[in-house]
Amino acid sequence: MTSECENPELVIAWLDYMNSSDEMTIQASFGMIADDENEYNLHYNDDGALEYWTGSPEGMTFGEYLHKWTLATTAYVIHDVSYMAQNNIFLGNPNNMAKSAECRTFDAYAAEETLPSMKFTDEETETLTSIQSGIKDQILQMTARWIAGESDIDADWDSYISSLNGIGLEEYVSIWQTAYDHYKDMQ
């Protein structure tokens, strides 16, 4: 809210109302709940959870129908939508839920450890940025040449690696390795 807001108390009251309950948060972000008289884009299923209608009864796209009945194009949501899904309060967009379930198929292959957030000096950051730009350019250029058949990946691999090293790949890896070693020492 800016200092030019004419009715700050109304803005605060609106925010409080939009986040006053799970049901209100869902409607603010995802559309109105259907009742006996109106087929809005949300409804209660047989288990008592809110879910989307799977179609758009007025012949609109799902997005058009969603925005027709959504109170805000994007609401500041305090309530946790994933918590609501786990507790059968709101099941979310069926397309997103199906995609999420499909993505869980790959959980067994996920890395057990991910690269943590690293700390670099200003000088290291400047060096990394400079080297990374050249590395990315070389990778994109050679990838395009390999795809287009203008270069033989097997025959040109050693020269490709040499070109990356000439750009500063070894220094780039060394800076990252030093930062990672420092991170591990702090654990």
Side-chain angles (χ1 to χ4, degrees), residues 47-65:
D47 296 329
L50 280 171
E51 63 183 7
Y52 284 112
W53 288 112
T54 54
S56 301
E58 296 181 14
M60 300 177 187
T61 67
F62 178 76
E64 289 169 337
Y65 194 67

Side-chain angles (χ1 to χ4, degrees), residues 57-156:
E58 296 181 14
M60 300 177 187
T61 67
F62 178 76
E64 289 169 337
Y65 194 67
L66 168 68
H67 288 291
K68 179 177 180 177
W69 300 113
T70 304
L71 301 177
T73 55
T74 308
Y76 177 73
V77 177
I78 294 174
H79 298 258
D80 184 346
V81 175
S82 62
Y83 165 84
M84 288 188 246
Q86 291 169 357
N87 290 283
N88 207 36
I89 298 168
F90 174 55
L91 302 181
N93 180 333
N95 295 329
N96 289 347
M97 300 304 271
K99 183 177 179 182
S100 176
E102 288 174 9
C103 288
R104 282 192 220 99
T105 303
F106 301 100
D107 285 352
Y109 306 101
E112 291 182 21
E113 182 180 350
T114 58
L115 190 62
S117 180
M118 302 291 189
K119 306 277 188 213
F120 300 103
T121 66
D122 289 342
E123 182 181 325
E124 288 170 333
T125 301
E126 189 175 313
T127 301
L128 286 171
T129 302
S130 174
I131 294 171
Q132 182 175 344
S133 176
I135 290 172
K136 282 184 176 182
D137 287 347
Q138 182 65 4
I139 290 170
L140 290 172
Q141 180 184 34
M142 288 307 296
T143 301
R145 290 185 66 207
W146 290 324
I147 291 170
E150 296 172 5
S151 173
D152 182 320
I153 192 167
D154 294 321
D156 296 335

Side-chain angles (χ1 to χ4, degrees), residues 1-16:
M1 178 171 16
T2 70
S3 60
E4 295 180 22
C5 180
E6 293 180 16
N7 298 298
E9 63 284 347
L10 289 177
V11 171
I12 297 301
W14 179 79
L15 286 171
D16 283 345

